Amino acid sequence: MKYRINDDFALSRPPEGPVASYIVSFAEWLVGQGYGLVSTRNQVVMAAGFSGWLRQNKIDLGGISGEHPRRYLQGRGQACRPQRGDNAALRHLLDFLRSVGAIPEDVEEYQPSPVEIHLQAYESYLRDARALDRQTIVNYRPVIRDFLHFRFSDGAVSLAELRAVDVTNFVQKRTSRLNIRRAKIMTTALRSFLSFARYHGDITSDLAAAVPIVANWNLSSIPRAISRDDVTRLLASIDRRTPIGCRDYAMILMLARLGLRSSEVSTLELDDIDWVAGQIRVRGNSGQRNELPLPADVGEAIADYLRKGRPRNACRRVFLRDKAPIRGFDGASGLACVIRRCLERAGIDAPTKGAHQFRHGLATE
């Protein structure tokens, strides 16, 4: 049931929490302050989400502090892409609540720490200049926060003071407790941030070159490409008479025939398929869309899933989860679970349990 804010827009459901009764008044206040429709709607949605978070954490109006917006935004950033106006929206909400006497005047406004200020600038760069997807930003964020705290603690952050020894010390101390995959994510994120700092003019030397390379000798002799025979066995083992089987077969066939990354399969949308031209558009790591030919067998598998297996849902993703909430896969881990389950059911001892082995297999052929 929709909750109407004014004649121009409504929320998808009634707001909950201690701020709920002030949401309509907040919208009117924003309009009176001169904000346009889009900005007002975005700020109202943010206020409703913050109110729900307060309710979940059992915080009433009298208990709101300047720390709560920061904690809410940190948690929210794990689920959806941060926007440039998020901080301002919550600051405006607190200003409004003070103006109507809902919270005390002495509630301290949230002031981002020096680390958070640099982190927000870096995230904006990844999102706007590099067009990286949300999951990549989510993976990089904690690494850079940890690095800045490691070097500057909670004091002022002066990137110009960074030296190569700061970078190597951080990597040496952190990699000892990480597995190979997490260590590589850490070093990749660190190189990305240091390149950004140089691009932004905060540092002049190429500190990204000082980030050590994480060795992976323990896997160097193991072939990582799944064989053609194993791919054939795997696809034949999937029961295509079930909705889940139709979906799993189509996804794995796309990996095997087109050499796509797991993210390119899981984020494929209905509008990305051009059935007339026999093409699909996939989103690469940089956010760019590339057009690829759609082989007949892959197209038939996708069409079979759309006709027989895909739940009725407003989500535009082609492949949907089979468990509630019904929506697209959250990331590469969802598709990896599907592959692992199918490999185990088929009794195939594959080089790895993830999606990249299909890409290696196609390249090997």
Side-chain angles (χ1 to χ4, degrees), residues 84-288:
R84 186 169 296 176
D86 291 353
N87 282 324
L90 292 185
R91 187 170 64 250
H92 296 158
L93 175 63
L94 294 185
D95 288 343
F96 165 73
L97 293 175
R98 289 190 195 93
S99 70
V100 297
I103 61 175
E105 287 288 341
D106 58 355
V107 172
E108 175 184 343
E109 283 191 18
Y110 165 61
Q111 296 293 336
S113 67
V115 167
E116 291 296 327
I117 291 173
H118 283 80
L119 196 58
Q120 289 169 11
Y122 174 57
E123 290 178 16
S124 297
Y125 164 77
L126 294 180
R127 184 176 61 248
D128 302 332
R130 293 292 310 282
L132 296 185
D133 61 26
R134 182 182 64 83
Q135 190 58 48
T136 300
I137 297 174
V138 168
N139 286 337
Y140 286 8
R141 184 193 300 125
V143 174
I144 305 310
R145 180 184 288 113
D146 186 27
F147 173 65
L148 292 177
H149 279 300
F150 173 85
R151 174 58 180 82
F152 300 103
S153 299
D154 294 325
V157 175
S158 176
L159 298 182
E161 298 177 8
L162 287 176
R163 298 293 180 266
V165 66
D166 300 321
V167 177
T168 55
N169 284 345
F170 173 76
V171 172
Q172 289 171 355
K173 291 186 177 181
R174 292 297 188 266
T175 51
S176 61
R177 63 189 188 193
L178 299 175
N179 59 34
I180 292 295
R181 177 177 174 275
R182 295 304 305 176
K184 288 189 173 183
I185 290 176
M186 182 192 72
T187 53
T188 302
L190 200 53
R191 291 189 192 97
S192 169
F193 175 75
L194 294 171
S195 297
F196 155 74
R198 190 181 185 192
Y199 163 82
H200 201 256
D202 294 317
I203 59 177
T204 56
S205 56
D206 184 14
L207 291 183
V211 180
I213 296 174
V214 178
N216 194 17
W217 302 113
N218 60 325
L219 296 179
S220 60
S221 63
I222 301 177
R224 300 181 61 83
I226 188 170
S227 69
R228 185 185 186 95
D229 291 342
D230 282 343
V231 171
T232 302
R233 283 178 53 203
L234 177 61
L235 291 170
S237 71
I238 299 174
D239 185 1
R240 298 173 63 187
R241 296 171 297 179
T242 68
I244 295 176
C246 287
R247 181 201 65 186
D248 295 351
Y249 181 86
M251 289 194 298
I252 293 176
L253 188 63
M254 290 189 72
L255 294 171
R257 293 280 280 114
L258 297 173
L260 299 179
R261 298 179 178 88
S262 57
S263 61
E264 293 169 340
V265 173
S266 60
T267 60
L268 186 71
E269 297 190 353
L270 297 171
D271 299 327
D272 293 331
I273 305 176
D274 187 337
W275 295 102
V276 176
Q279 293 180 329
I280 59 172
R281 290 182 295 273
V282 297
R283 298 170 180 80
N285 285 341
S286 64
Q288 295 180 339

Side-chain angles (χ1 to χ4, degrees), residues 325-344:
I326 303 299
R327 63 189 183 199
F329 290 97
D330 292 332
S333 60
L335 182 50
C337 290
V338 170
I339 295 169
R340 187 182 305 113
R341 183 177 66 241
C342 291
L343 288 170
E344 291 173 354

